Amino acid sequence: MHIKTNDTVEVITGDDKGVRKKVLHIDREKGRVVVEGVNLVYKHVRRSQRNPQGGRLSKEMPVQISNVLLVCNRCNQGVRTGSRVAKDGSKERFCKKCGGSLGEIAPSKKK
Ligand SMILES: [Zn+2]
């Protein structure tokens, strides 16, 4: 899976299925991603000095990286991706559906 921060991904399972949002954070070791507004948990907060209003705070919890797909702009849907070496030697992601490039993931090693 080649997902980067700020990618737009589509959630493919769970309560947020079909939601398309931006990736905020990636935990590669755990294989989890935090997606804007997805998998929210609400925490009830008492009035305190730091939080004089009290009330509800929401926070995104990480979801399994396998539960999201990168959105291909051409296909306008979440797609499976692969990586390939471009002509100039850089590595890029591509959409397995339409074959279009989804951006560089590693610069060229050639000089
Ligand atoms: Zn595509």
Side-chain angles (χ1 to χ4, degrees):
M1 188 59 85
H2 310 282
I3 285 177
K4 298 186 289 189
T5 309
N6 287 328
D7 276 346
T8 300
V9 293
E10 183 171 322
V11 181
I12 53 169
T13 184
D15 292 342
D16 297 303
K17 188 174 175 178
V19 170
R20 288 181 195 179
K21 287 283 185 181
K22 220 165 66 174
V23 174
L24 299 177
H25 179 75
I26 299 175
D27 187 336
R28 295 203 183 274
E29 273 175 36
K30 290 183 183 148
R32 287 171 173 268
V33 291
V34 176
V35 185
E36 190 180 48
V38 167
N39 205 17
L40 285 179
V41 289
Y42 292 97
K43 203 175 149 189
H44 293 267
V45 189
R46 269 184 208 214
R47 270 189 293 239
S48 65
Q49 281 195 330
R50 233 184 78 200
N51 211 324
Q53 297 270 305
R56 251 170 26 147
L57 282 180
S58 63
K59 187 176 188 294
E60 289 98 348
M61 295 302 284
V63 296
Q64 284 288 340
I65 208 161
S66 59
N67 291 348
V68 300
L69 286 176
L70 187 65
V71 171
C72 171
N73 288 330
R74 270 188 261 184
C75 301
N76 194 28
Q77 67 181 89
V79 294
R80 303 213 169 266
T81 59
S83 65
R84 65 186 174 195
V85 179
K87 278 179 193 147
D88 65 354
S90 64
K91 241 180 159 182
E92 66 176 12
R93 302 183 294 188
F94 70 99
C95 167
K96 283 191 174 171
K97 201 173 169 71
C98 69
S101 173
L102 293 169
E104 189 176 288
I105 49 176
S108 173
K109 284 174 190 159
K110 289 182 197 166
K111 278 182 184 166

